[in-house]
Amino acid sequence: MAMPVQKRTLVTEIPGPTSVKLHEQRSAAFAAGFGVTLPIFVAEAGGGIVVDVDGNHLIDLASGIAVTSVGASHPEVVAGVQRQAERFTHTCFMVTEYEAAIDVATTLNRITPGDHEKRTGLFTTGAEAVENAIKIARSYTGRSAVVVLSHAYHGRTLLTMTMTAKNVPYKEGFGPYAPEVYRVPSPYPFRWTGEFPAQEAFDQLVDVVTTQIGAHNVAAIIAEPIQGEGGFIVPPVGYLPKVADFAKEHGIVFIADEIQSGLGRTGAMFAVDHEGIVPDLVTTAKALAGGMPLSAVTGRAEIMDAVAPGGLGGTYAGNPVACAAARAALEVIEREDLPARARHIEEIARPRLEALAGPSSYIGEVRGRGAMLAMEFVEPGTITPAPDAAKRVAAYANGHGVLTLTCGTYGNVIRLLPPLVIGDDLLVDALGVIEAAVRSLA
Ligand code: PMP
């Protein structure tokens, strides 16, 4: 199938009549607890374009939440999936083995930070990777406490939901939560009132760990090197290296959750690379398999191998079709140097977004790295969150054919997560729509 025409074209209102009808059927058939950003039904997608069932071509600034970095139907991913599906779709890696899983593990061992000996375990979803990273850290240390940051997002399963910070919609009504999860204040530079957020937040982490938990009881400290769902919060320079050093000093496993920020998205292969941090364990998912469900935990061999055979796994863990997709996606990310593409996207987008900010603007801050950029909306001249302004801008962009996502603890952030292969023309067109959307607030 050919790549959809790479041009924004609207032929109906958004959503169009066919999507509206299908959405009614959805409401009758599908559980209400699943939200939707834009109720259009997709017919095909590829490059930087999503085509809906009414024939509208929308620019994709979502990538299915940072998944389709290589595009939604990269020909090499499609070919890998087809070839593997024809040979076999599944054996269960814990029953009989296959090479594609080893290829993916070997690549992850090579490209994750640090040249120490590593092992990888493959799973299916991001939450499952985080859960398993915690299981591995507990098994290795013989300790149970897990330290998480404010504004964190790690998933929706019981443990990862507990580790996630935001109550509505992720936790409300789903308690009681998992035990032994401790949250520390973490630096949100735009909102941190002190002068030295890296040092002050680090001091608070140390205080909580030593006075409330006991460092010797802590199995793991986990951090997203750029907080994703929390609002694309970039920690101040120096904070994460201090945390990683503190963990090392106390025999605590330091886990970088790179599920959203990893594999080229921020302009480096991993977001921790910007500060030269070498985590003990790294979780990946999303962009890993070009749209197929696959996740991984990669890290120090002695930690990863602490779990006895049989302790890790899952029926679909490292599914062969997903591994074939990942093999292709990883090759494209490396060969086409998609981290460089992410930096190129930032060069085009950041100045345009920054020009929209200012003292009388609803945009309080533009932040992020590479192709993981965001605008935080506030009441002009204050830092009071303005979630309605963000929603109005997102609705305008969506209605004009630019698929955008909001995020943030206060729901007041618009995030840009284009496929890394998006063409410059499409990106520039999308930025024009966002500019018009922001101006429409005034
Ligand atoms: N960790 C991070 C940093 C994420 O962004 C996400 C998903 N948004 C997850 C974990 C959970 O991944 P999944 O939805 O695949 O379970």
Side-chain angles (χ1 to χ4, degrees):
M1 197 162 176
M3 176 87 82
V5 176
Q6 296 293 297
K7 189 170 182 333
R8 178 171 64 102
T9 317
L10 301 187
V11 293
T12 70
E13 300 267 280
I14 301 291
T18 317
S19 282
V20 169
K21 220 159 105 203
L22 286 167
H23 188 73
E24 280 164 18
Q25 291 174 22
R26 168 205 156 122
S27 304
F30 216 86
F34 294 79
V36 63
T37 297
L38 181 61
I40 59 164
F41 281 71
V42 174
E44 54 179 307
I49 286 286
V50 171
V51 185
D52 74 10
V53 287
D54 291 293
N56 298 298
H57 285 53
L58 291 90
I59 301 176
D60 183 7
L61 296 189
S63 302
I65 320 189
V67 169
T68 52
S69 289
V70 299
S73 58
H74 192 286
E76 289 171 43
V77 173
V78 173
V81 165
Q82 281 171 339
R83 266 197 310 271
Q84 181 56 47
E86 279 163 12
R87 290 166 59 219
F88 59 93
T89 54
H90 177 81
T91 68
C92 186
F93 194 68
M94 302 167 321
V95 177
T96 54
E97 304 172 309
Y98 37 86
E99 278 177 67
I102 307 316
D103 293 343
V104 174
T106 304
T107 301
L108 285 171
N109 291 346
R110 173 170 56 79
I111 66 175
T112 45
D115 49 17
H116 48 278
E117 199 178 339
K118 294 177 208 154
R119 302 279 187 272
T120 285
L122 296 176
F123 304 94
T124 311
T125 66
E128 226 190 328
V130 172
E131 290 250 6
N132 279 283
I134 301 299
K135 283 165 65 174
I136 292 163
R138 284 177 169 165
S139 181
Y140 174 71
T141 58
R143 310 169 179 178
S144 57
V146 176
V147 172
V148 295
L149 306 188
S150 304
H151 312 287
Y153 183 92
H154 296 293
R156 293 178 183 264
T157 57
L158 180 61
L159 177 59
T160 60
M161 166 184 69
T162 306
M163 294 164 65
T164 289
K166 192 172 174 175
N167 182 38
V168 176
Y170 305 123
K171 303 168 87 161
E172 176 68 23
F174 298 144
Y177 307 110
E180 290 304 314
V181 175
Y182 300 87
R183 192 172 312 284
V184 296
S186 62
Y188 187 152
F190 181 62
R191 299 189 167 277
W192 190 272
T193 49
E195 233 177 301
F196 305 104
Q199 185 61 44
E200 292 164 6
F202 174 67
D203 290 344
Q204 293 189 22
L205 177 143
V206 172
D207 191 65
V208 171
V209 169
T210 50
T211 68
Q212 297 179 29
I213 317 167
H216 60 286
N217 294 317
V218 178
I221 301 175
I222 182 167
E224 300 157 83
I226 294 183
Q227 294 187 306
E229 304 304 312
F232 281 27
I233 303 166
V234 185
V237 174
Y239 174 72
L240 287 178
K242 281 180 201 292
V243 175
D245 287 348
F246 174 78
K248 191 171 188 172
E249 196 184 317
H250 293 278
I252 298 167
V253 176
F254 180 66
I255 306 170
D257 182 350
E258 292 262 11
I259 285 167
Q260 190 156 164
S261 58
L263 298 167
R265 171 61 51 188
T266 68
M269 192 57 87
F270 291 93
V272 286
D273 293 337
H274 294 288
E275 290 196 75
I277 301 162
V278 179
D280 297 311
L281 303 180
V282 176
T283 55
T284 51
K286 291 193 184 277
L288 177 57
M292 296 295 287
L294 188 73
S295 64
V297 183
T298 302
R300 294 186 188 283
E302 66 275 20
I303 301 177
M304 293 295 296
D305 283 341
V307 181
L312 301 175
T315 305
Y316 295 111
N319 169 271
V321 180
C323 285
R327 193 158 54 182
L330 289 168
E331 200 185 312
V332 171
I333 291 169
E334 286 200 274
R335 192 188 61 225
E336 297 184 6
D337 195 2
L338 292 191
R341 275 293 308 168
R343 296 195 294 275
H344 176 72
I345 289 169
E346 178 174 3
E347 274 167 29
I348 295 177
R350 185 184 277 277
R352 302 265 305 252
L353 300 176
E354 279 176 348
L356 294 170
S360 61
S361 168
Y362 279 92
I363 299 178
E365 187 178 53
V366 173
R367 59 174 177 255
R369 280 199 169 113
M372 189 170 181
L373 295 172
M375 304 172 275
E376 174 154 359
F377 287 77
V378 292
E379 298 304 335
T382 74
I383 61 162
T384 307
D388 286 344
K391 279 185 196 94
R392 272 156 56 207
V393 168
Y396 180 105
N398 289 335
H400 287 76
V402 178
L403 184 53
T404 47
L405 299 170
T406 56
C407 65
T409 294
Y410 310 102
N412 64 330
V413 176
I414 290 186
R415 54 175 154 171
L416 272 46
L417 286 170
L420 301 182
V421 296
I422 192 171
D424 289 0
D425 290 354
L426 275 186
L427 182 63
V428 167
D429 184 23
L431 290 166
V433 171
I434 287 172
E435 283 165 355
V438 172
R439 288 204 188 97
S440 77
L441 289 174

